[in-house]
Amino acid sequence: DQQVKQNSPSLSVQEGRISILNCDYTNSMFDYFLWYKKYPAEGPTFLISISSIKDKNEDGRFTVFLNKSAKHLSLHIVPSQPGDSAVYFCAATDAGGTSYGKLTFGQGTILTVHP
Amino acid sequence: SQTIHQWPATLVQPVGSPLSLECTVEGTSNPNLYWYRQAAGRGLQLLFYSVGIGQISSEVPQNLSASRPQDRQFILSSKKLLLSDSGFYLCAWGATGGGPFFGPGTRLTVL
């Protein structure tokens, strides 16, 4: 049972435009959500997170939106840059804020930003 | 600042051979530690986690085991590797307010 799903395997965006990566979850116990960026043969790099008590969190060019009723979150990257090209993973946890490491990951979305 | 190390970076092992992957964390005390695996074309799956020395929890039944002999050391082992053990193994440490944070990973190929 895939509790976290990223239904778009890939996304292609022009430099300077907005990239929107989507993620859906089924487990209503999840209360903390994270986005990671991963290059080949490297470990994932933490980008941004959001608690279930919020519906938006912003950090520079990255904004994460959470819609709890729809069990949906999205990552917006504005403006997109060629260096953003990577695999993006959505992750979730139901640890109640005490242990953020036990994550359930989506399958990942390959983002390609064209110059 | 905190740093997480993993070695080796790559490993090619024959089926039936033993395995030992090591992870160490610097700059933090009593961290929660985790082993994840990314199989080819798939997302990351949690294998083991540890909240303290000698405390190991397994998330999925498998051919692997983990140990935590010291506060900031986490080891992933196998007595006899299977072809299905191939993948990218990632150690991570847990923190509140951000992360968790992952190490650089070990690419394991079992032939």
Side-chain angles (χ1 to χ4, degrees):
Chain A
D1 176 33
Q2 192 76 28
Q3 297 187 62
V4 178
K5 295 182 180 179
Q6 293 175 255
N7 292 316
S8 298
S10 62
L11 175 68
S12 183
V13 173
Q14 202 70 28
E15 181 179 7
R17 306 294 289 269
I18 183 171
S19 294
I20 300 176
L21 297 115
N22 294 302
C23 178
D24 297 296
Y25 62 96
T26 58
N27 189 339
S28 58
M29 296 299 293
F30 287 147
D31 57 10
Y32 192 69
F33 304 88
L34 307 91
W35 283 94
Y36 286 85
K37 173 182 179 180
K38 186 181 182 300
Y39 294 115
E42 294 184 9
T45 301
F46 169 74
L47 281 176
I48 192 169
S49 61
I50 188 167
S51 165
S52 59
I53 63 174
K54 296 184 176 181
D55 54 19
K56 176 183 175 181
N57 189 25
E58 188 173 355
D59 184 1
R61 297 187 298 115
F62 301 93
T63 302
V64 56
F65 296 91
L66 176 62
N67 183 334
K68 289 186 290 295
S69 61
K71 293 190 176 66
H72 177 83
L73 65 155
S74 61
L75 174 68
H76 292 209
I77 306 174
V78 184
S80 300
Q81 300 172 354
D84 295 329
S85 298
V87 180
Y88 287 78
F89 288 98
C90 166
T93 180
D94 64 350
T98 58
S99 175
Y100 297 123
K102 292 181 63 180
L103 303 177
T104 300
F105 280 85
Q107 310 95 309
T109 297
I110 301 171
L111 173 65
T112 304
V113 181
H114 298 283
Chain B
S1 64
Q2 298 87 1
T3 308
I4 182 166
H5 302 277
Q6 282 186 249
W7 63 91
T10 60
L11 191 60
V12 180
Q13 292 284 97
V15 169
S17 63
L19 172 74
S20 180
L21 303 181
E22 189 164 343
C23 169
T24 59
V25 181
E26 297 177 357
T28 186
S29 296
N30 196 31
N32 290 342
L33 296 174
Y34 306 86
W35 278 110
Y36 282 84
R37 176 173 63 197
Q38 183 182 20
R42 302 181 69 176
L44 285 77
Q45 181 184 36
L46 177 63
L47 302 176
F48 300 96
Y49 72 95
S50 171
V51 299
I53 296 174
Q55 300 178 63
I56 308 295
S57 295
S58 175
E59 290 294 296
V60 294
Q62 59 201 304
N63 183 44
L64 302 168
S65 62
S67 61
R68 186 169 177 175
Q70 300 180 44
D71 181 45
R72 288 170 287 178
Q73 183 185 31
F74 206 21
I75 297 173
L76 184 70
S77 305
S78 174
K79 292 182 179 179
K80 289 185 178 181
L81 283 169
L82 305 172
L83 287 174
S84 58
D85 293 323
S86 293
F88 193 49
Y89 288 84
L90 291 151
C91 180
W93 68 280
T96 57
F101 305 98
F102 285 82
T106 295
R107 171 72 60 190
L108 172 65
T109 303
V110 182
L111 301 176

